[in-house]
Amino acid sequence: MEFRNLLLEVSAGVAQVTLNRPKALNALNEEVFSELSSCLDTIGQDSSVRVVILTGAGEKAFVAGADIAFMQGLSALEARRFSLMGQEVMNRIEQLPQPVIAAVGGFALGGGCELALACDIRLASENARFGQPEVNLGVIPGFAGTQRLARLVGSGKAKELLLTGDMIDAREAHRIGLVNRVVDRAELLAAAQEMAAKIAAKGQVAVRLCKEAVNNGLEMDLDRACRYEADLFALCFATADQKEGMAAFIEKRGANFIGR
Ligand code: DAK
């Protein structure tokens, strides 16, 4: 598939999606959201894709936020439409059957931080910077940042970042749980590919159900969530992967999962 603002490469079951507007630090506008939406549609329906990596082109930024030049002249109704488009893309990432790893090299600000938050796992390079600077522009985050950030790092830290607009570096992001791991800039994509390959080698039904269990379970009380987990666990026993995985363990060999 060809896009103006994205690069999509699929290899060995891993789709790498690169936001490709480096001159604007990969800022998000309607065209980018529309392309991301079709790209995610294609990936979601492609069962050969087991894991997705989302990253930004250039050395400086993952995504420096929503495109301020684009937003500057929006009417309230257009702003609402833009916000809903962005939220739809973020939700689609969260609900994509495959796990999504954000490889964050450089700035992840505003909508860029929100995009990383919608992913399942965040790897950051040493030079990564995170923040929700919307208050500096007289607005609040519009792509669910107030919600996902608070759920991930707790309301106290989230409010500090949201109210001050301060940027934090990769080490601090790691310390507060916003980032899973910090690596050298030169190692970022290799680290993401290595993690993706590790996940891609597992039973794919189980991988997808894990993502679903965590995402949906977090919206439930613990009793209901545990019963939900039991249902998904039971579902695994209807798959060839469960039979293969357990047989391989008993027979002391590597499992050969087929994703069914
Ligand atoms: N939008 C558009 N262009 C951007 C941009 C952005 N967010 N960030 C950077 N650029 C452009 C710069 O304008 C510059 O373009 P040229 O001048 O070269 O044409 C180029 O990228 C390089 O940027 P700098 O020259 O500024 O580079 P520096 O290294 O000096 O600074 C920086 C890097 C990331 C610290 C700085 O560029 C910066 O502060 N950028 C803005 C970061 C920011 O404020 N991000 C949050 C954006 S607001 C809502 C919907 C959505 C949102 C909110 C509400 N509703 C509808 C309710 C979301 C809001 C946001 O994400």
Side-chain angles (χ1 to χ4, degrees):
M1 276 183 105
E2 292 282 314
F3 300 101
R4 270 161 54 97
N5 303 282
L6 302 179
L7 302 171
L8 170 63
E9 296 153 86
V10 182
S11 171
V14 178
Q16 183 172 310
V17 180
T18 305
L19 287 135
N20 190 27
R21 296 185 75 210
K23 284 190 181 143
L25 304 189
N26 304 316
L28 305 165
N29 59 24
E30 279 194 356
E31 190 180 49
V32 175
F33 279 138
S34 161
E35 290 190 357
L36 258 176
S37 192
S38 346
C39 182
L40 292 167
D41 263 355
T42 307
I43 289 174
Q45 286 163 21
D46 184 346
S47 58
S48 73
V49 174
R50 297 166 169 217
V51 185
V52 180
I53 295 171
L54 183 61
T55 194
E59 288 303 303
K60 271 180 84 169
F62 171 67
V63 171
D67 189 324
I68 299 170
F70 168 79
M71 285 194 298
Q72 187 183 23
L74 295 183
S75 68
L77 281 181
E78 288 164 343
R80 185 167 188 273
R81 191 176 89 139
F82 182 52
S83 178
L84 291 174
M85 254 184 117
Q87 287 180 2
E88 198 261 338
V89 167
M90 313 278 165
N91 290 343
R92 193 171 286 211
I93 290 173
E94 197 169 67
Q95 286 157 20
L96 202 71
Q98 300 95 333
V100 183
I101 301 170
V104 180
F107 295 108
L109 302 175
C113 188
E114 291 168 296
L115 189 62
L117 286 167
C119 297
D120 300 297
I121 293 170
R122 283 151 292 281
L123 303 186
S125 60
E126 294 278 2
N127 70 328
R129 298 283 178 279
F130 294 81
Q132 297 287 165
E134 285 85 350
V135 285
N136 297 330
L137 301 167
V139 292
I140 70 165
F143 306 134
T146 58
Q147 304 310 306
R148 289 202 178 93
L149 188 60
R151 281 167 170 75
L152 192 62
V153 304
S155 66
K157 262 292 161 198
K159 283 177 188 163
E160 184 183 336
L161 287 168
L162 292 161
L163 301 179
T164 64
D166 281 350
M167 275 188 228
I168 54 172
D169 64 18
R171 294 278 152 204
E172 176 66 0
H174 183 245
R175 197 186 67 77
I176 66 173
L178 174 48
V179 153
N180 296 67
R181 194 191 301 166
V182 182
V183 297
D184 285 346
R185 181 68 183 92
E187 303 297 318
L188 179 65
L189 281 178
Q193 286 286 352
E194 190 185 327
M195 185 180 275
K198 186 182 276 187
I199 297 170
K202 310 295 179 193
Q204 290 307 295
V205 180
V207 164
R208 290 171 180 218
L209 290 179
C210 277
K211 172 168 174 170
E212 216 176 301
V214 174
N215 282 354
N216 295 336
L218 279 173
E219 305 300 319
M220 302 173 190
D221 64 56
L222 189 60
D223 267 358
R224 277 192 60 216
C226 288
R227 265 180 279 133
Y228 174 61
E229 184 190 73
D231 290 342
L232 297 185
F233 176 73
L235 190 58
C236 295
F237 284 74
T239 68
D241 279 359
Q242 173 268 330
K243 292 176 183 42
E244 167 62 10
M246 294 193 179
F249 176 81
I250 301 291
E251 293 160 20
K252 301 189 187 304
R253 60 174 173 83
N256 183 19
F257 292 117
I258 56 170
R260 281 191 277 117

